Amino acid sequence: MFMKIAVLNNSGNVGKSTICNALLQPRLPESRVIKVETINTDGTLDEKVSANDFIEISRMIDSSPCAIVDVGSSNIETFFKKNDDI
């Protein structure tokens, strides 16, 4: 399956990571969750990347046939700005 999903919201603590980890990933078992966050935590030790590393995020998305991008509220502005720059 080829699918790319981004879950984001301007506000923190609204359930973005919960949607990614508990709702989407179990239904897309071959998916890769890419966590774009630098300040907040979702309680896991999973790798997190900064929106400043947008080129690397793009490569991670492109290299996965099924990707779920969890964009934390502390990185949403930079994520969109970097996307516009490309």
Side-chain angles (χ1 to χ4, degrees), residues 62-81:
D62 288 344
S63 69
S64 302
C66 188
I68 302 166
V69 185
D70 180 3
V71 183
S73 59
S74 65
N75 279 255
I76 192 167
E77 185 176 345
T78 304
F79 185 81
F80 279 118
K81 182 173 180 352

Side-chain angles (χ1 to χ4, degrees), residues 4-16:
K4 315 294 179 166
I5 301 170
V7 178
L8 44 97
N9 190 301
N10 292 2
S11 177
N13 297 319
V14 295
K16 296 178 294 291

